Amino acid sequence: MSSAIQRQGDIVAAIMLRDIRTRFGKSRLGYFWAFAEPLAHMAWISAVSYFLARKAPYGFSREVFVASGLLPLFVFIRVSTKVTSAVSSLSGLRGLSIGTLDLALARAILETLTLIAVMVVVFCVLSIVMGYEEAWPQRLDMLIVSLISFLFLGIGIGFICGVIARFFPMWKIIWSALARVTILLSGVVRIIDYMPPAVREIAYYVPMLHGVTLARIGFYGDSYPQLILDTNYLFGFIVVALFIGLAADRAFRHRLTR
Amino acid sequence: MIEVDGVSKFVGTGSIRRLVLKDVTATFPGTGVTGILGPRGCGKSTLIRLLAGVEAPHIGSIRRRGQVSFPLGFGGGMDPRMTVAENLGFIARVNGLDPHDFVRAVALMSGLESDLRRPFVSVPGDRKNRILYSMSYCIPFDTYLVDGSPVIGGGRFRAACNSFFEERRQTSAFIVATSAPAILRRHCDRACVLHNGEIIFWGGVEDAIALFATLPEGMAAIEAETEEEDEEEGLFL
């Protein structure tokens, strides 16, 4: 059993090493995109947020507020889209008898590590260059829980979307847009606790909202408004999504054809 | 050993969807060389991909005992931008082998030490095939799957291929899908005939070829074969 896990670990590591070389290696465009996209989203959200209110929604810095929710959420966005394409298509690596789960895990972990690197750079700039003290996480444990939740949520949703894309290939493109729409529903722009009950009742069911709230507690500490937070709902959602995704992958394996 | 139980497989989608394998049931033994003889388009390649586990059947199940190879010489997993050595290192790690030793073994078998540092995309086609075949033979599988011929090329590489094949068949099983009776005659211990997605015969090599010759597509394949043989021999000389 332990040797089987070891073996799977070796395969996942080998795929990651290869992806680093091919995606981030020869052309620097991979690196550029890894930073550029979340930064572009940060820019427009900060602009919208400025027009909504002159004061930062929480704390002193609008940038820290936006980044502390957006960058962890991006783990979900990137992981779910990467896993969707890994699960939906019969690429060359699959021809080498590499399993769906190995491929999906490798892509998911690499994407998460890349975003952690982006976060380290962004928050170092915010704290050292811009001088915002709150850019240092007060509760690193909560931030890590948030990142791991987004990683597994991304894998679960990615598997489900990947299986859907085996039937409707267009779904891959639709999902990569839809995943980014979740930015608007997850409390990245505004604090959901301060919004009307009607909004709160609906927002509660968006699992990403709970992950974003966890990340904010990671930065601002326990004083961050967290009445809406329900970690049981988040973890339950993740387990169910993973179960449905992996079961659907097995049930519809025959849909993978060249 | 690979057990195929009631397997049906469609290929394509929508109106061009076609049933390529019809309720195939067979047991491929864990030793010796088994040939699958069939005309072009009979479902051989699909069957090999199903046996490899690259694709899954729509109906039925496939059980594999031991490590089963990907189709011999498969190159879809190679990244064109990485060097040959980097690609081989990846293949080694995925299969739990030491990358350094593996690259050396492949270089030795293919005789293409000089191409190791080149990007895979820049290696000419025939040398690519030599690398891919060497790569497959250098991984110790329990069952090797072949779509085409287990021995390719000419001159020294053909000899290397042959000696590897003879060595591996002592301890591992081979399943060779081909439309060329000569390949069957040269390498196989037993054979089945695949026609229109169904296995219509299972037994000795000569009986399989005799039956194959009575099929309309079989005649054409045998006539075309003499020319193909010449081309194949001439490729790497």
Side-chain angles (χ1 to χ4, degrees), chain A residues 158-216:
Chain A
F159 260 88
I160 294 172
C161 289
V163 174
I164 294 173
R166 284 179 199 168
F167 293 86
F168 313 105
M170 271 297 284
W171 182 252
K172 241 192 294 190
I173 299 158
I174 297 171
W175 174 252
S176 91
L178 271 186
R180 283 155 177 84
V181 172
T182 61
I183 294 171
L184 298 171
L185 308 170
S186 312
V188 170
V189 189
R190 301 182 68 175
I191 297 173
I192 302 292
D193 268 15
Y194 297 167
M195 294 180 80
V199 176
R200 288 206 305 263
E201 265 164 40
I202 299 165
Y204 171 84
Y205 292 102
V206 179
M208 286 71 82
L209 164 71
H210 302 279
V212 167
T213 308
L214 281 172
R216 289 266 165 72

Side-chain angles (χ1 to χ4, degrees), chain B residues 27-37 169 172-176 183-185 187-193 201-208:
Chain B
T27 302
F28 292 92
T31 55
V33 184
T34 308
I36 302 174
L37 185 61
R169 72 186 291 180
S172 305
F174 276 81
I175 299 171
V176 179
I183 288 174
L184 214 65
R185 217 171 252 139
H187 303 297
C188 297
D189 303 322
R190 64 183 90 81
C192 60
V193 176
F201 171 84
W202 192 279
V205 169
E206 286 310 322
D207 293 337

Side-chain angles (χ1 to χ4, degrees), chain A residues 7 10-11 14-15 17-18 21-23 26 90 92-98 253-258, chain B residues 9-10 49 52 54-58 70-71 74 76-79 81-82 86-87 90-91 93-96:
Chain A
R7 175 111 178 72
D10 288 347
I11 293 175
I15 301 170
L17 210 69
R18 180 189 139 111
R21 274 200 199 132
T22 53
R23 181 183 160 193
K26 303 278 147 57
L90 202 63
L93 288 185
R94 300 288 294 278
L96 293 171
S97 324
I98 290 172
R253 273 197 319 162
H254 58 268
R255 295 290 313 192
L256 274 172
T257 348
R258 59 177 66 205
Chain B
K9 178 74 181 174
F10 295 92
R49 283 203 299 277
V54 176
E55 294 179 28
H58 282 85
F70 44 85
F74 176 77
M78 308 296 267
D79 188 282
R81 292 158 296 177
M82 294 202 304
E86 284 173 340
N87 271 306
F90 169 72
I91 300 290
R93 277 183 218 103
V94 164
N95 287 284

Side-chain angles (χ1 to χ4, degrees), chain A residues 133-149:
Chain A
E133 261 175 50
E134 63 213 55
W136 289 116
Q138 289 187 28
R139 288 201 55 184
L140 196 60
D141 54 336
M142 293 301 259
L143 182 58
I144 290 168
V145 171
S146 158
L147 294 177
I148 292 173
S149 304

